[in-house]
């Protein structure tokens, strides 16, 4: 088959990295990068780190409102489709690039394959929720990462084309996380680059990027949570998305010195920082799952999650706390008591044995079966 893949953001580059080797070994792939994320720390560096192919079409459509992005991506992808004439368009996740790729494909009569179909937060205020629902309802193949995603699709009347594949991000995390398992070799290069002291369990790792966490009120709330989580002997390392950094600056909120704000990190560094942390605080769907796979305690700084199974399977190690300061403090103390977090982090890394989900194989097989 000739498959045109559309990516544009950091998590999509990461998901594409899990899929492209097997996809390209059996099919002809045309790789389109919308440029929704465009700077080196959010996008460019991942091409080199993950060995991604150079895009066949790089649209350079970053910045602006969601409406402007979709308004520019849609005709640009339509023009590419007219020239490339693929058998299918493959989109990932829930971003403006996902929606634009899907809409361009259906209007051109090309079937859509959606990786990470069926996820729902049931919170329509999230732009991602609209993108997921619309994309699922025009897709020919719906690659669901979890049984709950299959059930969500069934509840919306979608059964045809649904395949439970497992999670492509687990495939990649399993491939790479073994490389960062040894704290003695994984942490020093990161510590040196960031100018910080890093030891197992002696820091908390945090990421925040969602639109819902960028209002001044939300920024003040999570800044207070991070400040409460940080201690001089156990700082919080906050790898901050540029959009959230701008929101932090605009909000006037301040962070204590024990919250170390650093640039977004590369994929391996992020896995290493998670694996050896005392705990992870995040609003990221990807980081949330990775923490679960690595067995690291995780506080989800959102009021809802699409990854219900990850929470249920965590045996209490993952808690959706939203921006509730009291809950966050209590749960962090329960999951990562300061006096034992070094020992617990070392034990986790020693026990680490993440297996791939086989999702990339399942996706390619399903595409072939239905071709
Ligand atoms: N990630 C990264 N550097 C960072 C923060 C996250 O490489 O500084 C990775 C993370 O390990 C995961 C992915 O980005 O694989 C998650 O993407 P993101 O948080 O941007 O989006 P979401 O998963 O919420 O859609």
């Amino acid at each position: 088959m000739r498959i045109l893949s559309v990516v544009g953001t950091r998590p999509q580059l990461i998901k594409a990295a899990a899929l492209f080797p097997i996809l390209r070994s059996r099919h002809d792939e045309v790789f389109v990068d919308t440029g929704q994320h465009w700077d080196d720390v959010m996008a460019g560096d991942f091409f080199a780190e993950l060995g991604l192919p150079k895009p066949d079409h790089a649209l350079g459509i970053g910045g602006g409102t969601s409406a402007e992005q979709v308004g520019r991506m849609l005709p640009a992808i339509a023009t590419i489709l007219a020239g490339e004439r693929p058998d299918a368009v493959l989109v990932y996740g829930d971003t403006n690039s996902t929606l634009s790729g899907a809409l361009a494909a259906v209007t051109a009569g090309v079937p859509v394959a959606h990786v990470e179909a069926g996820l729902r937060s049931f919170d329509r205020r999230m732009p991602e929720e609209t993108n997921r629902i619309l994309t699922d309802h025009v897709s020919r193949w719906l690659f669901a990462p979890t049984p709950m995603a299959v059930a969500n699709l069934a509840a919306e009347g979608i059964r045809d084309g649904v395949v439970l594949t497992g999670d492509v991000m687990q495939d990649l995390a399993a491939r790479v996380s073994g490389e960062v398992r040894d704290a003695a070799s994984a942490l020093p290069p990161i510590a040196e680059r960031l100018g910080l002291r890093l030891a197992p369990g002696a820091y908390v790792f945090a990421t925040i990027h969602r639109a819902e966490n960028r209002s001044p009120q939300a920024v003040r709330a999570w800044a207070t949570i991070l400040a409460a989580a940080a201690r001089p002997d156990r700082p919080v390392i906050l790898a901050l998305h540029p959009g959230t950094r701008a929101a932090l600056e605009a909000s006037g909120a301040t962070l204590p010195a024990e919250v170390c704000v650093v640039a977004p990190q590369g994929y391996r560094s992020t896995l290493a920082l998670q694996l050896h942390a005392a705990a992870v605080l995040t609003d990221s769907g990807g980081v949330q799952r990775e923490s679960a796979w690595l067995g690291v305690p995780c506080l989800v700084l959102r009021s809802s999650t699409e990854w219900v199974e990850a929470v249920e399977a965590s045996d209490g190690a993952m808690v959706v706390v939203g921006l509730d300061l009291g809950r966050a403090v209590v749960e962090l103390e329960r999951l990562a008591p300061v006096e034992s977090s070094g020992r617990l982090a070392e034990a986790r890394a020693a026990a680490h044995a993440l297996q791939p989900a086989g999702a990339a194989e399942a996706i390619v097989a399903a595409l072939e079966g239905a071709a």
Side-chain angles (χ1 to χ4, degrees):
M1 283 172 88
R2 183 167 171 78
I3 296 170
L4 186 138
S5 305
V6 180
V7 298
T9 63
R10 171 174 69 189
Q12 289 167 334
L13 295 172
I14 291 168
K15 287 160 203 166
L19 191 56
F20 90 85
I22 172 158
L23 191 65
R24 288 193 172 215
S25 71
R26 312 230 289 256
H27 298 283
D28 185 14
E29 185 187 34
V30 180
F31 195 43
V32 178
D33 177 12
T34 64
Q36 185 176 337
H37 283 165
W38 45 269
D39 58 358
D40 284 345
V41 287
M42 290 301 293
D45 294 345
F46 287 87
F47 281 88
E49 182 182 357
L50 301 176
L52 283 160
K54 191 170 169 299
D56 300 291
H57 302 273
L59 303 181
I61 301 176
T65 63
S66 289
E68 285 163 350
Q69 285 186 358
V70 176
R72 291 167 66 204
M73 288 175 191
L74 191 48
I77 298 171
T79 303
I80 295 169
L81 289 175
E84 296 283 1
R85 306 174 68 82
D87 301 306
V89 168
L90 189 139
V91 294
Y92 297 89
D94 55 21
T95 71
N96 293 333
S97 303
T98 315
L99 180 64
S100 302
L103 291 180
V106 282
T107 51
V110 180
V112 178
H114 186 200
V115 177
E116 279 193 5
L119 296 174
R120 298 290 182 266
S121 67
F122 301 100
D123 181 354
R124 289 282 186 129
R125 290 168 305 177
M126 287 177 68
E128 293 92 341
E129 185 79 350
T130 306
N131 292 341
R132 295 178 189 123
I133 293 170
L134 294 178
T135 302
D136 283 341
H137 282 257
V138 298
S139 289
R140 159 77 180 76
W141 294 277
L142 299 102
F143 299 127
T146 63
M148 185 69 79
V150 174
N152 289 338
L153 291 168
E156 292 173 22
I158 305 175
R159 290 186 178 78
D160 288 350
V162 177
V163 186
L164 176 61
T165 58
D167 194 331
V168 282
M169 287 187 71
Q170 184 177 336
D171 288 349
L172 190 66
R175 206 191 302 160
V176 172
S177 55
E179 295 172 28
V180 298
R181 181 178 169 186
D182 177 19
S185 60
L187 290 181
I190 304 171
E192 191 179 336
R193 184 164 47 75
L194 298 180
L196 299 169
R197 283 162 54 89
L198 293 175
Y203 64 91
V204 168
F205 181 63
T207 77
I208 297 179
H209 74 89
R210 291 205 175 270
E212 72 216 52
N213 278 336
R214 291 192 189 167
S215 70
Q217 194 188 2
V219 170
R220 281 193 287 275
W222 60 250
T224 309
I225 291 175
L226 297 190
R231 296 155 171 264
D233 56 342
R234 199 178 74 177
V236 172
I237 315 294
L238 172 61
L240 202 54
H241 183 292
T244 324
R245 188 184 279 262
L248 174 64
E249 283 161 12
S251 75
T254 52
L255 291 166
E258 297 83 35
V259 178
C260 310
V261 182
V262 301
Q265 299 296 297
Y267 180 70
R268 284 174 179 75
S269 296
T270 304
L271 284 183
L273 284 165
Q274 289 181 79
L275 178 59
H276 302 295
V280 169
L281 273 56
T282 190
D283 63 3
S284 158
V287 174
Q288 185 184 328
R289 272 126 75 210
E290 287 163 356
S291 288
W293 296 323
L294 300 173
V296 183
C298 179
L299 301 189
V300 180
L301 303 179
R302 294 176 52 193
S303 50
S304 60
T305 180
E306 305 78 36
W307 302 99
V308 184
E309 281 100 337
V311 177
E312 284 170 357
S314 76
D315 205 13
M318 180 179 294
V319 190
V320 181
V321 296
L323 298 180
D324 183 331
L325 173 65
R327 268 199 89 193
V329 169
V330 168
E331 294 294 354
L332 188 60
E333 179 52 30
R334 177 180 70 81
L335 291 168
V338 178
E339 54 290 356
S340 50
S341 56
R343 181 175 51 75
L344 291 172
E346 280 171 8
R348 272 194 299 272
H352 168 67
L354 179 62
Q355 297 302 311
E361 275 284 349
I363 288 170
V364 173
L367 284 169
E368 283 164 357

